[in-house]
Amino acid sequence: MTSYYQCISREQQQDGSCTAHYQPTIHAQGAWNEHEQHMAPATGILAHELEIFAPQPHLRIARISLDILGLIPLQAFSITTRSIRPGKTIELIEAVMSSGGRDCIIARAWRLLSQDTSNIAGLEDHALTASPESLPIWPGMSIWPGGFIASTTAVSDPERRPGKGVVWLTTAYDMVEGEATTDFVRLMGLVDTANGVVPRNGLQLAETKLAFPNTDLQIHMHRLPEGKWLGIEAVQQYGADGIGLTSAVLHDKRGPFGRSEQVLTLRPMV
């Protein structure tokens, strides 16, 4: 099996919404519990449904906001996608993942008018100096269990440290069996790993016994990503009252294309 999901069926509803039914493979397995999905491929499959839902050629996804409502079971699920705020220049769409009779993730995406603004384009985020091919394989991801982490390849800037650093990731797996995976979906399906590449408590999770799962994922993009490598320039910060934040500048091999944020709940590992 060389994909994260198998599509069972897709149904167009009379109200204009679309419901797709999926079966996850072992490659979607999470790191916190063996019976759950990892949020990264779950983000990818939601991005896939958002991307293909009633596309308009002059609009593109500029932001995806995902709220995690609880554990994401490693079992069959559905995604229902609908338009909340239709528009010719601005549109808000929503995709809800449900499994076992409850909603697991609510994802909303803003589609904005795409037009030529090259004459005023300018960035403050800087491109990373080292390409992923020039960096050494990073074994740090291997401390995380689960099928999803095993499906990825990671390289790291030598200056990466607990709390801050750069890691590049890629995967050879398709998002959906038998369907072409766009660069956008492939890279969206890796962004959630930002929370695991620079943990402030280091990589000795069994010793620190601190869990820091995120309850959301926000992705903002000033352009669509390209290629198969995702560069994560991450900073992780822990507050003094049990709440943390992982922030990242997101890169492809062309340079920065957006940012992500994840709010964390800091708690003892069970």
Side-chain angles (χ1 to χ4, degrees):
M1 190 67 63
T2 57
S3 64
Y4 294 107
Y5 299 100
Q6 297 172 306
C7 184
I8 307 304
S9 64
R10 179 174 284 108
E11 307 156 1
Q12 196 71 35
Q13 310 297 335
Q14 290 186 349
D15 63 0
S17 65
C18 179
T19 299
H21 300 270
Y22 285 99
Q23 179 68 42
T25 72
I26 189 61
H27 306 302
Q29 184 183 45
W32 294 112
N33 298 287
E34 64 180 15
H35 56 279
E36 71 175 343
Q37 292 185 51
H38 197 290
M39 180 60 183
T43 299
I45 197 63
L46 285 159
H48 172 66
E49 288 297 320
L50 290 166
E51 181 182 47
I52 65 176
F53 178 76
Q56 300 187 61
H58 59 287
L59 302 182
R60 75 153 173 92
I61 294 176
R63 188 218 69 179
I64 301 179
S65 173
L66 304 105
D67 289 306
I68 308 166
L69 305 183
L71 185 144
I72 311 164
L74 190 66
Q75 62 186 39
F77 62 90
S78 65
I79 297 176
T80 298
T81 309
R82 66 189 181 103
S83 178
I84 296 177
R85 192 271 193 194
K88 294 182 179 180
T89 63
I90 298 174
E91 181 182 30
L92 181 63
I93 56 178
E94 177 185 80
V96 179
M97 176 187 286
S98 304
S99 181
R102 68 172 184 86
D103 295 341
C104 306
I105 306 172
I106 298 176
R108 288 187 169 184
W110 281 109
R111 285 173 169 165
L112 305 183
L113 177 67
S114 179
Q115 56 187 319
D116 184 8
T117 53
S118 56
N119 61 322
I120 58 171
L123 302 178
E124 298 297 333
D125 291 329
H126 299 291
L128 299 174
T129 55
S131 68
E133 291 86 355
S134 69
L135 296 173
I137 294 291
W138 182 53
M141 291 293 282
S142 63
I143 64 102
W144 297 100
F148 171 71
I149 296 301
S151 76
T152 64
T153 298
V155 299
S156 174
D157 187 289
E159 296 184 2
R160 190 208 66 83
R161 60 171 174 79
K164 189 175 184 179
V166 174
V167 171
W168 288 86
L169 291 103
T170 189
T171 177
Y173 290 75
D174 288 326
M175 191 57 59
V176 181
E177 182 180 346
E179 298 184 23
T181 302
T182 64
D183 292 348
F184 167 72
V185 168
R186 184 180 301 278
L187 297 193
M188 290 302 98
L190 294 169
V191 173
D192 184 73
T193 56
N195 193 37
V197 298
V198 292
R200 293 202 66 82
N201 55 332
L203 297 175
Q204 304 304 317
L205 300 181
E207 296 178 11
T208 60
K209 299 187 183 302
L210 175 71
F212 46 95
N214 52 303
T215 61
D216 79 335
L217 173 59
Q218 312 291 321
I219 306 171
H220 293 77
M221 295 164 286
H222 53 77
R223 68 169 172 85
L224 287 177
E226 301 175 6
K228 298 182 182 298
W229 281 96
L230 175 69
I232 301 173
E233 186 179 3
V235 173
Q236 190 177 82
Q237 304 179 84
Y238 294 167
D241 65 348
I243 298 173
L245 181 67
T246 296
S247 310
V249 179
L250 304 175
H251 300 257
D252 59 18
K253 292 174 67 174
R254 276 185 54 196
F257 66 83
R259 293 185 172 221
S260 68
E261 298 281 348
Q262 296 158 287
V263 68
L264 318 178
T265 175
L266 310 177
R267 56 182 64 198
M269 293 184 70
V270 178

